[in-house]
């Protein structure tokens, strides 16, 4: 470079071949280019900073611009000739610029700027608020209808049964039975409860039957052990079918705003027998009713625990009065008559389910002095669910009392879990039913599988 700057090109020759005047100009351009690069590097270093990514591009552009100006002063023809020679020897201007950029980046004390986020392959799918609401409603409906079959089976675990017995869900279902009875109707009643996820508590199981007071005393003891805010459902044991889960029953009851609710029925028993069939009590002492379901049926009731406790305490205390009145042992008194008298006297806020919202008693009356009343023509089955088409209700529990027993098995055969008709529901299989656990006995009770209490049920 010194020889060229001093204009002594004769001392600087390539081996093997001499170059003419164009050769000297080419080297002059090279020297000037090196000087420009050196000048830019020194200037940036003295400024105390390092170029950013944008600054690096500006530096390269200014370098290329300066180089082109120098080349233009030394002749465009010489540049073209030299450029073609460099390309033929494998040297390219673009590659050299890339090497400058690489050197500048390595010399920077700062890390390179972060890469921009990758572009989205596809735009997000817009979801409207209505779509979200619809999905949520479908999910809620799916859960409310008991569609998750695994949860249905798992619900009857030991911990869940104990929680239900303690009324942690706010409601409990109970019945009283010392044995399975002479036929399989008790087992059919229990199955209907389990198919609707009702952990039915069977009080008195395994004891010898001594009479009605035994049922009253066992029920009273169970009530005392429940929390005050508990809602209690109680039914007869041998002629009942559940058609709802406890949550649905509680929603109905809470919506009615009552503290005690008994089933209303067509028959007036046993009062109709007390005055030789004249029916004075039934026709004149009973409160008026908006429907033919005028008379109290004690085989189905639902109440707040505190209200139920008051009623059963009174039943125990007043049992001897009825025993003396009818000259029968206390064990032979009729609890339905006692509670009916309480209702007619306006005690304890007792109300009747006149419109079959929760309870449907199936006994019919076709003779005087009682009015004509037959529940059967009012029944309609929709997808395995029985409805009262007159009252436009879907009763939660059916009681086949008195002459209503003739409809028990027929209505059961049409239930959804026997026909598998209801969408969103799946019945317990025979094996699952047989191994489902329930609580039986008084006090804390004990767990028993369905096949233990109903060994011959098919």
């Amino acid at each position: 470079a010194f020889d060229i700057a001093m204009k002594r090109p004769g001392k600087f020759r390539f081996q093997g071949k001499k170059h003419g005047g164009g050769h000297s100009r080419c080297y002059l351009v090279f020297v000037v280019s090196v000087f420009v690069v050196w000048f830019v590097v020194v200037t940036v270093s003295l400024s105390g900073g390092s170029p950013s990514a944008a600054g690096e591009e500006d530096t390269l552009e200014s370098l290329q611009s300066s180089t082109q100006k120098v080349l233009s002063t030394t002749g465009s023809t010489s540049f073209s000739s030299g450029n073609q020679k460099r390309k033929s020897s494998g040297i390219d201007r673009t590659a050299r610029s890339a090497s400058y950029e690489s050197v500048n980046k390595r010399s920077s004390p700062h890390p390179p700027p972060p890469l921009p986020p990758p572009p989205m392959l596809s735009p997000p799918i817009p979801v409207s608020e209505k779509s979200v609401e619809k999905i949520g409603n479908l999910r809620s409906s799916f859960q409310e209808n008991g569609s998750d079959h695994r949860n249905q089976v798992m619900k009857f675990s030991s911990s869940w049964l104990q929680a239900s017995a303690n009324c942690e869900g706010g409601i409990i279902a109970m019945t009283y039975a010392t044995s399975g009875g002479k036929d399989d109707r008790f087992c059919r009643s229990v199955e209907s409860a389990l198919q609707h996820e009702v952990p039915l508590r069977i009080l008195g199981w395994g004891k010898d039957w001594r009479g009605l007071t035994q049922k009253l005393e066992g029920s009273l003891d169970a009530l005392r052990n429940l929390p005050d805010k508990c809602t209690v459902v109680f039914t007869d044991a041998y002629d009942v079918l559940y058609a709802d889960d406890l949550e649905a029953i509680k929603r109905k009851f809470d919506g009615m705003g009552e503290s005690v609710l008994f089933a209303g029925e067509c028959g007036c028993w046993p009062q109709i027998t007390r005055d030789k069939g004249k029916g004075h009590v039934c026709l004149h002492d009973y409160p008026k009713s908006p429907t033919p379901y005028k008379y109290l049926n004690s085989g189905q009731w639902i109440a707040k625990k505190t209200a139920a406790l008051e009623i059963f305490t009174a039943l125990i205390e007043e049992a001897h009065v009825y025993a003396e009145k009818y000259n029968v042992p206390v064990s032979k008194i009729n609890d339905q008559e006692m509670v009916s008298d309480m209702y007619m006297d306006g005690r304890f806020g007792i109300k009747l389910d006149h419109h079959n919202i929760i309870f449907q008693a199936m006994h019919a009356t076709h003779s005087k002095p009682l009015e004509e009343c037959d529940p059967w023509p009012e029944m309609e089955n929709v997808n395995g669910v029985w409805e009262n088409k007159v009252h436009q209700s879907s009763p939660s529990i059916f009681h086949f009392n008195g002459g209503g027993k003739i409809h028990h098995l027929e209505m059961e055969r049409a239930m959804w879990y026997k026909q598998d008709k209801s969408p969103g529901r799946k019945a317990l299989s025979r094996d699952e039913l047989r191994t489902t656990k329930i609580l039986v006995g008084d006090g804390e009770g004990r767990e028993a599988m369905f096949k233990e209490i109903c060994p011959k049920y098919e």
Side-chain angles (χ1 to χ4, degrees), residues 263-279:
E265 68 155 301
C266 299
C268 181
W269 190 83
Q271 285 86 351
I272 192 66
T273 66
R274 297 305 188 196
D275 57 0
K276 298 181 181 181
K278 294 180 181 179

Side-chain angles (χ1 to χ4, degrees), residues 210-231:
R210 296 182 285 101
L212 181 63
T213 51
Q214 178 181 345
K215 172 183 174 181
L216 297 178
E217 290 168 355
S219 301
L220 181 61
D221 290 340
L223 288 171
R224 286 171 175 160
N225 293 325
L226 295 175
D228 289 344
K229 294 183 179 181
C230 185
T231 297

Side-chain angles (χ1 to χ4, degrees), residues 188-396:
R188 294 178 186 276
S189 296
V190 175
E191 180 190 5
S192 71
L194 299 183
Q195 293 287 6
H196 289 90
E197 302 179 7
V198 175
L200 186 63
R201 176 71 187 273
I202 303 175
L203 302 174
W205 187 258
K207 292 187 174 182
D208 294 329
W209 176 248
R210 296 182 285 101
L212 181 63
T213 51
Q214 178 181 345
K215 172 183 174 181
L216 297 178
E217 290 168 355
S219 301
L220 181 61
D221 290 340
L223 288 171
R224 286 171 175 160
N225 293 325
L226 295 175
D228 289 344
K229 294 183 179 181
C230 185
T231 297
V232 183
V233 179
F234 200 99
T235 68
D236 281 358
Y238 299 94
D239 53 0
V240 166
L241 288 179
Y242 273 84
D244 252 336
D245 58 49
L246 289 182
E247 289 149 0
I249 294 173
K250 189 175 188 303
R251 282 197 302 270
K252 290 180 179 180
F253 179 63
D254 291 343
M256 299 173 75
E258 306 294 349
S259 59
V260 184
L261 188 72
F262 279 77
E265 68 155 301
C266 299
C268 181
W269 190 83
Q271 285 86 351
I272 192 66
T273 66
R274 297 305 188 196
D275 57 0
K276 298 181 181 181
K278 294 180 181 179
H280 180 81
V281 173
C282 302
L283 298 177
H284 302 290
D285 294 346
Y286 250 94
K288 293 182 178 180
S289 169
T291 74
Y293 297 93
K294 177 180 180 179
Y295 306 106
L296 183 144
N297 179 276
S298 64
Q300 304 175 95
W301 58 265
I302 182 171
K304 301 293 186 182
K305 178 253 182 164
T306 51
L309 191 62
E310 290 180 348
I311 293 174
F312 273 82
T313 301
L315 289 174
I316 295 294
E317 293 175 352
E318 298 170 15
H320 71 280
V321 176
Y322 283 81
E324 293 174 1
K325 180 179 179 179
Y326 297 112
N327 193 26
V328 294
V330 174
S331 60
K332 298 294 184 180
I333 61 172
N334 190 299
D335 63 330
Q336 180 157 304
E337 183 174 19
M338 294 179 67
V339 180
S340 297
D341 287 347
M342 291 177 178
Y343 170 62
M344 287 185 279
D345 294 338
R347 299 173 66 187
F348 306 114
I350 297 173
K351 304 295 180 182
L352 302 189
D353 187 3
H354 295 295
H355 295 91
N356 312 114
I357 296 173
I358 299 176
F359 304 120
Q360 176 71 64
M362 293 300 296
H363 175 69
T365 55
H366 300 290
S367 58
K368 297 294 184 180
L370 301 179
E371 63 180 299
E372 176 73 18
C373 178
D374 191 350
W376 176 243
E378 300 176 359
M379 298 296 104
E380 182 178 21
N381 190 280
V382 180
N383 293 327
V385 177
W386 286 102
E387 298 179 353
N388 187 312
K389 59 186 178 183
V390 173
H391 297 153
Q392 297 182 350
S393 64
S394 296
S396 301

Side-chain angles (χ1 to χ4, degrees), residues 112-179:
L115 296 173
M120 297 185 65
L121 298 178
S122 60
I125 301 174
V127 180
S128 64
E129 294 182 1
K130 289 185 177 180
S131 299
V132 174
E133 182 180 0
K134 184 176 182 181
I135 293 171
N137 291 338
L138 287 173
R139 184 179 293 111
S140 299
S141 176
F142 181 84
Q143 293 171 350
E144 289 177 4
N145 288 334
S147 301
D148 192 340
H149 188 47
R150 290 173 299 173
N151 287 344
Q152 184 184 22
V153 177
M154 292 174 63
K155 266 191 171 182
F156 292 93
S157 63
S158 299
S159 59
W160 186 75
L161 284 176
Q162 194 58 50
S164 300
N166 296 332
C167 203
E168 293 183 10
I171 186 170
I172 187 173
M174 298 190 297
T175 190
Y176 197 95
T178 57
S179 66

Side-chain angles (χ1 to χ4, degrees), residues 25-65:
R25 285 195 299 270
C26 202
Y27 275 92
L28 179 61
V29 171
F30 174 76
V31 171
V32 173
S33 299
V34 172
F35 175 78
V36 171
V37 172
W38 172 82
F39 178 82
V40 171
V41 172
V42 172
T43 302
V44 172
S45 300
L46 292 176
S47 65
S50 60
S52 63
E56 292 173 0
E57 293 178 358
D58 294 340
T59 302
L60 289 173
E61 290 178 358
S62 61
L63 174 61
Q64 294 166 1
S65 176

